[in-house]
Amino acid sequence: MSWDWNYTGEFLPDLLSGLRITVVATVLGYLLALALGLVWTLLRRSPNPFVSQTTRWVIEFIRSTPLLVQLYFIFFVFPSFGLTLGPLTAGIIGLGLHYSAYTAEVYRAGIEDVPRGQWEATVALNLPRRRVWQDVILPQAVRKVVPTLGNYLIAMFKDSPLLLAINVIELLGAAYQVGTETLRFLEPITVVGLLFVLVSVVSSIIVRRLERRYATY
């Protein structure tokens, strides 16, 4: 089977539309993962044993459950409890929730890597707890883990085709639709692979630059 460039030009706009959905789902899911992961981390450091242990088990449960199962649960099971979500919304929540368990561990490692002297200095200065975290601990902790968090963004982007399972027509979904309509999959699936490689390589270069930048601090 030879490559048909005219056919490629015809379906390319559909794939770019799917790529837009993929990017939207990845970016919004990633922002949710960053925010929720920080919440998990702070709750896990709670002086209340019940809160900290419950959070620990929640994180472990999320990490131990496949992303696809979580997506199915959010999209297909939540309606049984009266909560019906659109495919894209369910996908964003699923991606964000799944990766929040991993970003939580990254935050935890960054916080634990903050020198003990920094904690002691905040006590000596009698800083309010909010300022301790906002002005001293978190800026140092997050700076140390930016490269790792960037790697999770790339991983989430590559996991986005799983959203097709809950009817989100993202990049791979768009290619599948094109292929089923024409019974020709060579060009659309190949282009999808190339787009994933292109975006992932560019993102990897950015992450490596961040690693070199923050390694100097």
Side-chain angles (χ1 to χ4, degrees):
M1 180 180 291
S2 59
W3 187 275
D4 188 335
W5 287 104
N6 291 328
Y7 172 54
T8 303
E10 291 174 0
F11 70 70
L12 192 56
D14 294 328
L15 262 60
L16 293 179
S17 178
L19 178 60
R20 180 182 63 82
I21 299 298
T22 295
V23 171
V24 168
T26 301
V27 171
L28 294 182
Y30 184 68
L31 293 176
L32 177 60
L34 292 179
L36 190 55
L38 182 58
V39 172
W40 294 139
T41 301
L42 297 178
L43 289 176
R44 188 169 178 181
R45 295 182 62 87
S46 170
N48 186 316
F50 176 78
V51 173
S52 61
Q53 287 302 312
T54 300
T55 304
R56 176 176 175 270
W57 283 110
V58 168
I59 293 173
E60 289 303 318
F61 178 80
I62 294 173
R63 292 179 66 186
S64 302
T65 310
L67 173 57
L68 186 57
V69 173
Q70 295 170 9
L71 290 171
Y72 275 174
F73 195 89
I74 293 171
F75 188 66
F76 293 112
V77 180
F78 273 17
S80 301
F81 298 97
L83 180 58
T84 302
L85 301 172
L88 182 57
T89 301
I92 291 170
I93 293 175
L95 288 172
L97 179 65
H98 184 77
Y99 276 90
S100 70
Y102 295 93
T103 58
E105 292 301 296
V106 173
Y107 284 132
R108 183 175 65 86
I111 291 171
E112 292 179 353
D113 197 43
V114 174
R116 184 176 181 82
Q118 296 292 316
W119 295 92
E120 295 173 346
T122 61
V123 173
L125 294 172
N126 196 28
L127 292 177
R129 185 176 181 82
R130 180 182 62 81
R131 287 200 59 195
V132 170
W133 286 100
Q134 178 179 310
D135 300 335
V136 181
I137 303 303
L138 287 180
Q140 296 183 66
V142 172
R143 186 183 66 196
K144 295 173 182 289
V145 299
V146 163
T148 305
L149 293 175
N151 287 328
Y152 280 128
L153 175 61
I154 298 173
M156 183 183 291
F157 175 72
K158 291 190 291 185
D159 275 346
S160 63
L162 290 175
L163 301 185
L164 180 59
I166 58 171
N167 302 322
V168 177
I169 308 302
E170 39 65 70
L171 181 56
L172 182 61
Y176 178 76
Q177 282 190 339
V178 169
T180 54
E181 290 172 359
T182 61
L183 299 180
R184 187 179 180 104
F185 289 91
L186 172 63
E187 291 87 353
I189 298 301
T190 301
V191 173
V192 165
L194 292 175
L195 287 174
F196 270 104
V197 169
L198 177 62
V199 175
S200 297
V201 168
V202 172
S203 301
S204 297
I205 293 173
I206 295 173
V207 169
R208 284 198 295 270
R209 289 183 177 179
L210 288 174
E211 289 176 349
R212 289 194 295 269
R213 176 181 177 181
Y214 286 99
T216 62
Y217 286 92

